Amino acid sequence: MIRHVRVLPVLLLTPLLLTACGSEKAGAGGAPGSPSAATPAAAAPDTGAGELRVRAQAMGVAPELVYVTEAPGFTLAQQSVGVLGDDGFSATWVDGGTNALLRLAVDRGTITAGTCPEQPVGDMSGEHTTCERDGKAWYRTGAGRHEYALPEEGHVVRVSAETDAVPRDVLRAAALAAHRPDTAETDRLLPSAEPAPATPVERGDLPPFGDGAPDNHVDVGG
């Protein structure tokens, strides 16, 4: 069920060590050209996944619920990125020419033929919802909006827009393009987890002596 958006580290994945096949020890020599001749190297840490995890958790979002999408003419509205419900994810893309909005929302749960009509499109609770199966997704309409909902393991990815603002084929393409972000996309999508440096605020009206209270002295005559 779609819920309202609340406005807006964790251990890195341990590198996996590759070992040689069979009973030979890793790094054991072999005949030139044989599979055991090369020394297995340790896999590099997945720094992209680690950065996604740190940034998402700093926002209060479950890392596995962070998705990104794309559509021709639409760009991410950075200020729209935030938490959905308890630990879900939401972000909006804007068409610079028409100001049409594409909203991506990912939250825990599922959607079936039985529950689809009961779940409102967007945040319009109490409105009638129609559902149509479209491949692995559900095409849903209601309250002047339409949406593609894609059930995933333990969560649902939704891409919605106003019916008159975004054509169905554009909406469908954006929904099918939704995916887990790579390192570069994570950097563009999520704010940095580093806290802003604490800078003391300087008060110009505080005297350098006494108890530090503001000087409210008034001359004779007011």
Side-chain angles (χ1 to χ4, degrees), residues 67-131:
Y67 278 71
V68 67
T69 190
E70 57 187 17
F74 286 82
T75 57
L76 174 67
Q78 189 65 54
Q79 69 276 13
S80 71
V81 177
V83 183
L84 174 66
D86 295 329
D87 59 356
F89 177 74
S90 178
T92 299
W93 279 257
V94 183
D95 185 322
T98 65
N99 291 325
L101 305 178
L102 273 176
R103 184 188 183 216
L104 169 71
V106 187
D107 206 1
R108 301 189 187 279
T110 187
I111 185 169
T112 65
T115 62
C116 183
E118 302 171 358
Q119 303 181 26
V121 178
D123 298 321
M124 305 302 292
S125 60
E127 296 289 340
H128 176 70
T129 300
T130 61
C131 300

Side-chain angles (χ1 to χ4, degrees), residues 5-214:
V5 176
R6 290 190 282 109
V7 177
L8 11 134
V10 96
L11 297 177
L12 296 176
L13 296 177
T14 304
L16 300 178
L17 299 179
L18 300 178
T19 57
C21 297
S23 60
E24 294 182 357
K25 294 182 180 179
S34 66
S36 60
T39 302
D46 191 348
T47 55
E51 183 68 13
L52 168 62
R53 187 176 299 274
V54 170
R55 291 193 183 200
Q57 292 184 336
M59 296 174 59
V61 174
E64 66 272 18
L65 301 183
V66 177
Y67 278 71
V68 67
T69 190
E70 57 187 17
F74 286 82
T75 57
L76 174 67
Q78 189 65 54
Q79 69 276 13
S80 71
V81 177
V83 183
L84 174 66
D86 295 329
D87 59 356
F89 177 74
S90 178
T92 299
W93 279 257
V94 183
D95 185 322
T98 65
N99 291 325
L101 305 178
L102 273 176
R103 184 188 183 216
L104 169 71
V106 187
D107 206 1
R108 301 189 187 279
T110 187
I111 185 169
T112 65
T115 62
C116 183
E118 302 171 358
Q119 303 181 26
V121 178
D123 298 321
M124 305 302 292
S125 60
E127 296 289 340
H128 176 70
T129 300
T130 61
C131 300
E132 173 189 332
R133 192 72 175 180
D134 189 342
K136 294 182 179 180
W138 288 97
Y139 176 65
R140 297 154 32 81
T141 59
R145 295 181 66 81
H146 58 167
E147 170 187 277
Y148 266 92
L150 292 84
E152 297 292 348
E153 186 174 353
H155 59 274
V156 180
V157 180
R158 307 171 190 266
V159 178
S160 62
E162 292 185 355
T163 307
D164 295 337
V166 179
R168 176 175 175 174
D169 61 331
V170 174
L171 187 70
R172 184 178 189 275
L176 296 180
H179 61 278
R180 304 274 286 133
D182 59 23
T183 302
E185 290 170 328
T186 295
D187 190 54
R188 294 191 297 266
L189 181 67
L190 302 181
S192 173
E194 297 180 3
T199 304
V201 178
E202 303 227 357
R203 287 281 304 275
D205 61 339
L206 297 181
F209 52 84
D211 60 2

